[in-house]
Amino acid sequence: MNAKLIFAGLFAALVLAAPAKAQTTLEMADITCKDFSGYAPDRQDFVSNWMRGYFMAQKNLTVIDSRYVKRNSEKIVRYCKKLPNAKLMNAVEKNAR
């Protein structure tokens, strides 16, 4: 029984000591429309939600109207297709309500 306990403790120590994934940073102001379109869906969701929160905080808004989220997203996608090298934050500023 003691050997099982020691083995379990050793196993737990090895698992906890496994290297963690490297933390990455993302400079939101540098993301271009082309960059954003190449992101995986989960990263696109992350960036979209961050942008939404950032711009809503600037306007001191606390309510999200889903009609505007859909409309704004469609406008930003159209803008980004025309100007893939544009900064995503500029696309949001110019097209979101």
Side-chain angles (χ1 to χ4, degrees), residues 14-56:
L14 290 173
V15 169
L16 293 174
K21 289 185 178 180
Q23 183 178 1
T24 60
T25 59
L26 188 60
E27 177 57 55
M28 296 298 200
D30 291 340
I31 298 172
T32 65
C33 288
K34 183 178 180 181
D35 295 336
F36 182 75
S37 67
Y39 288 161
D42 60 330
R43 180 161 263 194
Q44 284 183 346
D45 289 343
F46 172 78
V47 170
S48 297
N49 288 326
W50 186 92
M51 294 272 180
R52 186 175 301 114
Y54 177 81
F55 286 107
M56 290 186 70

Side-chain angles (χ1 to χ4, degrees), residues 24-90:
T24 60
T25 59
L26 188 60
E27 177 57 55
M28 296 298 200
D30 291 340
I31 298 172
T32 65
C33 288
K34 183 178 180 181
D35 295 336
F36 182 75
S37 67
Y39 288 161
D42 60 330
R43 180 161 263 194
Q44 284 183 346
D45 289 343
F46 172 78
V47 170
S48 297
N49 288 326
W50 186 92
M51 294 272 180
R52 186 175 301 114
Y54 177 81
F55 286 107
M56 290 186 70
Q58 279 189 330
K59 296 176 182 178
N60 200 27
L61 298 173
T62 58
V63 176
I64 297 174
D65 188 332
S66 61
R67 294 173 300 172
Y68 293 124
V69 171
K70 182 176 175 11
R71 182 190 65 93
N72 289 341
S73 297
E74 291 168 353
K75 286 178 72 175
I76 292 165
V77 166
R78 284 193 303 272
Y79 180 88
C80 282
K81 283 182 181 177
K82 290 179 188 174
L83 300 167
N85 293 323
K87 299 290 184 186
L88 185 62
M89 288 186 87
N90 291 340

